[in-house]
């Protein structure tokens, strides 16, 4: 009998909520202990709300730009590969349908289709709190740690951008359940979000951008995967 593979965030609304709370509790504990040990300021952790009321529209705008940039990059790469005969149109199509990030290992797409509570928990709590807020606080904390340990290397804006690039590698690797393509996509996403954070000296535009990006992805996911099954 083949073992059943359960998604990381459970297949039931109750399980999803419990998993989110556990993930947040673990992160909060570790993050709090790290803060007690290093005593960073709100400025160090980029927790200042900048740039005022622009945070939300900027976050939404950045999420749209990231999605457009990703789509354009994929089209350019596929067209270039087909144009140079590195791959055929059929093989490119097969790659798109078979090597896309395996989001089914994270959430239950069938549950999103049939369980409204599960759907809205994914679009709100998973997207904005577990992913958006938690992951951007982790990114800001890691960046603050690198600045504190090696101020000459990572204290300047250029150095912080270099640190963001290093952090994005770890961020991508943490998304191993999504497969190799998912790791690359997550790493690039982490790079974009880290750059936003450094440029605005605040996590909040990146939090909003991350949350909106994940929320819109999850919201459209059941429909998109259903269409991809008929993509021949």
């Amino acid at each position: 009998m083949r073992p059943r593979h359960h998604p990381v965030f459970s297949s039931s609304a109750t399980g999803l909520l419990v998993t989110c709370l556990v993930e947040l509790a673990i992160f909060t504990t570790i993050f709090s202990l790290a803060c007690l040990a290093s005593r960073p300021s709100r400025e160090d952790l980029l927790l200042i709300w900048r740039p005022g009321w622009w945070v939300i529209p900027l976050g939404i705008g950045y999420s749209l730009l990231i999605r457009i940039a990703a789509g354009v990059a994929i089209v350019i790469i596929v067209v270039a590969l087909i144009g140079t005969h590195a791959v055929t149109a059929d093989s490119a199509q097969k790659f798109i349908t078979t090597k896309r990030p395996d989001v089914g290992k994270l959430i239950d797409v069938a549950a999103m289709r049939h369980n409204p509570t599960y759907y809205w928990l994914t679009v709100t709590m998973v997207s904005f709190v577990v992913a958006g807020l938690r992951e951007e606080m982790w990114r800001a904390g890691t960046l603050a740690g690198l600045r504190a340990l090696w101020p000459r290397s990572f204290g300047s804006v250029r150095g912080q951008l270099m640190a963001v690039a290093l952090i994005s590698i770890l961020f991508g690797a943490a998304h191993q359940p999504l497969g190799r393509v998912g790791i690359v996509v997550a790493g690039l996403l982490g790079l974009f979000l880290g750059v936003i954070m450094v440029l605005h000296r605040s996590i909040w535009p990146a939090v909003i951008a991350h949350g909106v990006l994940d929320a819109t992805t999850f919201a459209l996911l059941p429909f998109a995967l259903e269409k991809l099954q008929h993509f021949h």
Side-chain angles (χ1 to χ4, degrees):
M1 182 177 178
R2 294 179 64 183
R4 184 181 177 184
H5 298 285
H6 296 280
V8 172
F9 282 99
S10 183
S11 296
S12 68
T14 301
L16 177 62
L17 180 60
V18 169
T19 302
C20 289
L21 294 175
V22 170
E23 291 282 336
L24 292 172
I26 293 173
F27 172 77
T28 300
T29 301
I30 296 174
F31 194 83
S32 298
L33 291 174
C35 288
L36 285 173
S38 57
R39 302 287 182 177
S41 65
R42 291 178 65 227
E43 186 70 49
D44 292 332
L45 295 175
L46 306 179
L47 292 176
I48 307 300
W49 183 271
R50 295 190 183 104
W53 64 271
W54 278 100
V55 166
I56 294 177
L58 272 175
I60 295 172
Y62 281 133
S63 71
L64 181 60
L65 287 175
I66 291 171
R67 191 176 296 281
I68 292 173
V72 170
I74 291 172
V75 170
I76 291 174
I77 291 171
V78 170
V79 170
L81 290 174
I82 294 175
T84 57
H85 305 290
V87 298
T88 64
D90 288 341
S91 62
Q93 179 176 300
K94 182 179 179 181
F95 179 85
I96 292 172
T97 56
T98 60
K99 298 299 183 180
R100 62 181 182 269
D102 190 0
V103 292
K105 291 184 178 180
L106 293 180
I107 60 168
D108 192 322
V109 180
M112 290 193 71
R113 288 196 188 104
H114 305 295
N115 188 331
T117 303
Y118 188 96
Y119 178 91
W120 287 109
L121 278 173
T122 303
V123 171
T124 55
M125 190 167 188
V126 173
S127 298
F128 285 94
V129 182
V130 177
L133 180 59
R134 184 190 63 156
E135 292 181 358
E136 296 316 311
M137 287 190 68
W138 169 82
R139 200 183 321 279
T142 305
L143 181 60
L146 291 175
R147 287 199 311 266
L149 291 171
W150 297 285
R152 291 186 178 180
S153 298
F154 302 118
S156 65
V157 172
R158 182 180 178 182
Q160 290 179 68
L161 293 176
M162 291 174 56
V164 161
L166 295 175
I167 294 169
S168 68
I169 297 174
L170 296 176
F171 185 71
H175 289 74
Q176 186 273 336
L178 294 177
R180 285 177 292 180
V181 174
I183 291 173
V184 174
V185 171
L188 291 174
L189 173 62
L191 178 61
F192 290 141
L193 292 170
V195 170
I196 292 170
M197 184 182 297
V198 170
L199 293 181
H200 289 286
R201 295 181 295 120
S202 173
I203 70 168
W204 299 111
V207 169
I208 300 298
H210 195 162
V212 171
L213 192 65
D214 282 7
T216 52
T217 299
F218 286 135
L220 297 173
L221 189 59
F223 173 79
L225 291 184
E226 183 177 351
K227 291 299 180 182
L228 280 174
Q229 291 175 355
H230 303 289
F231 183 57
H232 297 290

